[in-house]
Each structure stands twice: as C-alpha cells, then as structure tokens.
Amino acid sequence: HISTMTSMLRGVAPVRQALRAFGSTPRPPLEELAAAGWSKVDGPREAVHKAFAFRDFNEAWSFMSSCALVAEKMDHHPEWFNVYNRVEVTLTTHDTGGVSSKDVKLAQHMDHLAGSGL
C-alpha cells in the first residue's frame, strides 16, 4: 500500500544520517587534499575549496574547459567562479552530504591539469 511505502521511505534519510555519524560511510583521504592546497569550507556543509591562479584569462579558461570534460565524464560537476586569471573551485557531493571519493578524484584531476601547463 502507498501509505506503508511512504512510511518506509521517510525512515531512509535518518538511517543514512545515523550511519554517516557513526562513520559507516567511507570518508576520502582529506589529508591528501589538504597537502595539495585544498581547504575545508567554513560553514555547515562538508566541502573543499581551492583557488587556482594562471598567467592570463586564456589559460584559466583552458583549465576550466579541460576540467569540464573530465567532470562531465565523471557526472560530477564542480561549483566554480572565474575572474580573469583566477579560478576558485568548491567540491562536495550532494548525494552523500559531504566530500566523497568523487570529489577527491576530481580534485586530483584538477591539480594535474593545473600543473600540466595545459
């Protein structure tokens, strides 16, 4: 019956939150990201942030274009902001309510692309 199904679905979110609180959800190696210059975002949500600086707008845009192709393949899209030669990136996984292995992988790709000179 629909009412039984609805009651069951209401109980799913609190269970996920409880599992996360007890560490049943695997957490990515945030220390690796910190060592690469990523920092934890202040506020209620779990996310990481990094600011990239390039020689000029063309290099910054090229970086964003390359990252966009990777992000699309991963089906994991960054929050980002660009002004001239600067690109600020915030990564989080909304489905898990925090930083996931997808964020770590995308951050590593971004670091690689930024260091490759495009």
Side-chain angles (χ1 to χ4, degrees):
H1 291 11
I2 300 245
S3 62
T4 305
M5 184 76 93
T6 303
S7 295
M8 288 171 46
L9 289 175
R10 274 192 210 123
V12 170
V15 169
R16 282 190 191 140
Q17 290 171 349
L19 287 173
R20 224 179 302 162
F22 287 99
S24 295
T25 302
R27 289 292 181 208
L30 296 177
E31 301 80 31
E32 280 183 39
L33 293 182
W38 292 84
S39 58
K40 188 176 183 305
V41 171
D42 290 331
R45 70 181 182 152
E46 184 182 280
V48 292
H49 175 269
K50 186 172 182 176
F52 294 89
F54 301 93
R55 285 188 301 248
D56 55 29
F57 177 77
N58 287 333
E59 194 173 288
W61 191 262
S62 179
F63 167 76
M64 290 179 74
S65 295
S66 297
C67 290
L69 295 173
V70 171
E72 187 63 21
K73 278 185 178 179
M74 292 177 65
D75 192 28
H76 190 62
H77 305 93
E79 298 172 21
W80 53 13
F81 178 76
N82 165 246
V83 174
Y84 185 60
N85 70 331
R86 223 171 14 103
V87 178
E88 294 187 25
V89 180
T90 300
L91 299 175
T92 190
T93 302
H94 301 285
D95 293 344
T96 65
V99 178
S100 74
S101 59
K102 281 186 170 186
D103 299 303
V104 172
K105 187 179 281 189
L106 185 54
Q108 290 168 337
H109 280 292
M110 289 179 159
D111 287 337
H112 174 75
L113 290 168
S116 69
L118 305 169

